[in-house]
Each structure stands twice: as structure tokens, then as C-alpha cells.
Amino acid sequence: LVLNSGSSSLKFGVYSAADGEVRATYRGETEGIGGGEGKIWVKDGAGKTVEEEARNFSEQADAAKVVAEKLAKLKLAKLNGVGHRVVHGGPSLTEHQKITPQVLQTLEGAAHFAPLHVPAAIALIRESEKLYPGVAQFACFDTAFHITMPEAAARLALPKKYWDAGIRKY
């Protein structure tokens, strides 16, 4: 299961692997989180709509619960892992990795780097740990894709103290 939290949406996909090939079996989205008028839709691997419903979601956790309900109806095989797209891991979380209590604590300390996105991602991770107990959770950071930029390209025209605090271009 892959979850991609946005400021007002939650996209998700379920993937399976067989014979070395990864296939999308289901994908969907909750829309309008926090807006009063939302909906959820789910499509199968062929793109056919299998669920669509108007629904209000006050926060990411509400959306995650409804996604879990819809996926439970589909009688999926046991999940092997849950991947979370996280916009920014701060200066310390620079590689995709398994979420541990320490990783989550570090991520909470980096929330100020992307205040519209990281707190929502943290809430989603915490809810996913409740919804899928015992299933490994992984964080995939957008910033990890750009961490190899040369320093000359990543530095902003700001005093060194900002670079030392983790402020950089990605």
C-alpha cells in the first residue's frame, strides 16, 4: 500500500508483485479533506471504477480510515508494507527508510521545513500504524531525490548559518 498525503487529499495505490513484475491492482483518492465537501473513489488495475462515494473528511486520519474500510471490502491479500510519500525529511532524513520511533521523532522536529505537508504526513503515519498493526511502514522523502545536488547548486544566497540549519534548494 502506498499513501500520498496532500494538504486536502489522500492518494493511494495497492501494488502486487509476481514474476518480478509490479502491478497496480487498485488506486484511488480522497478529495476535499477539511473542506466540507469531499469524495472517495477507487479504481481497479484496469481503470474501472469499483467505488465512488461523496464523503466528508475533517482530517487525514478520517480519510485513512475510510480508505482502510474500502480496501477491506476488496479482500486484498495481507499487506507487506505501507509506503508514505513525505515532502521533506529535514536535514537529517535524507534517505528513504523504514519508519521507527526515532525516525518519526526526527520527522516531527523537521515539520517546520514543510508546515503544510509534514504534519499531515505524520498524522497519516500514526493513523496507518493503528489501522495496519504489525505492517512495516516506510517513508519516501521527496528531498531524498535531490540530496545529491552539488553544494554550489543547493546553496542559497544566504548566510552560512542558514545552510548549517538545513536550508537549501532541492
Side-chain angles (χ1 to χ4, degrees):
L1 174 63
V2 177
L3 301 172
N4 178 354
S5 64
S7 55
S8 64
S9 67
L10 173 59
K11 295 179 178 92
F12 58 94
V14 178
Y15 298 85
S16 63
D19 301 323
E21 186 177 329
V22 177
R23 291 189 183 102
T25 54
Y26 293 98
R27 64 182 182 86
E29 183 174 355
T30 64
E31 302 170 355
I33 297 173
E37 291 183 30
K39 74 175 185 176
I40 182 170
W41 56 264
V42 182
K43 294 183 179 187
D44 66 16
K48 179 183 172 196
T49 300
V50 294
E51 282 274 347
E52 188 167 0
E53 176 185 0
R55 195 92 177 242
N56 293 331
F57 309 101
S58 61
E59 59 187 9
Q60 288 284 336
D62 294 336
K65 288 174 189 168
V66 174
V67 168
E69 289 171 16
K70 299 296 183 188
L71 294 179
K73 287 182 183 178
L74 298 173
K75 309 257 192 265
L76 302 173
K78 181 181 180 290
L79 293 177
N80 292 323
V82 179
H84 298 269
R85 177 205 171 217
V86 181
V87 170
H88 205 305
S92 299
L93 299 173
T94 58
E95 296 179 351
H96 311 312
Q97 58 195 281
K98 185 175 182 180
I99 298 170
T100 64
Q102 179 61 40
V103 168
L104 200 51
Q105 183 179 11
T106 302
L107 185 57
E108 288 170 337
H112 64 281
F113 284 100
L116 294 178
H117 297 278
V118 174
I122 292 168
L124 181 60
I125 290 166
R126 290 195 183 285
E127 188 62 32
S128 295
E129 289 175 333
K130 293 176 196 170
L131 292 168
Y132 310 103
V135 177
Q137 310 274 324
F138 297 88
C140 298
F141 302 103
D142 287 7
T143 49
F145 290 103
H146 307 289
I147 200 66
T148 59
M149 283 176 54
E151 185 176 325
R155 270 193 182 266
L156 296 163
L158 296 170
K160 183 180 181 309
K161 68 179 180 179
Y162 295 108
W163 175 262
D164 293 342
I167 306 298
R168 57 177 284 141
K169 287 191 282 181
Y170 288 93

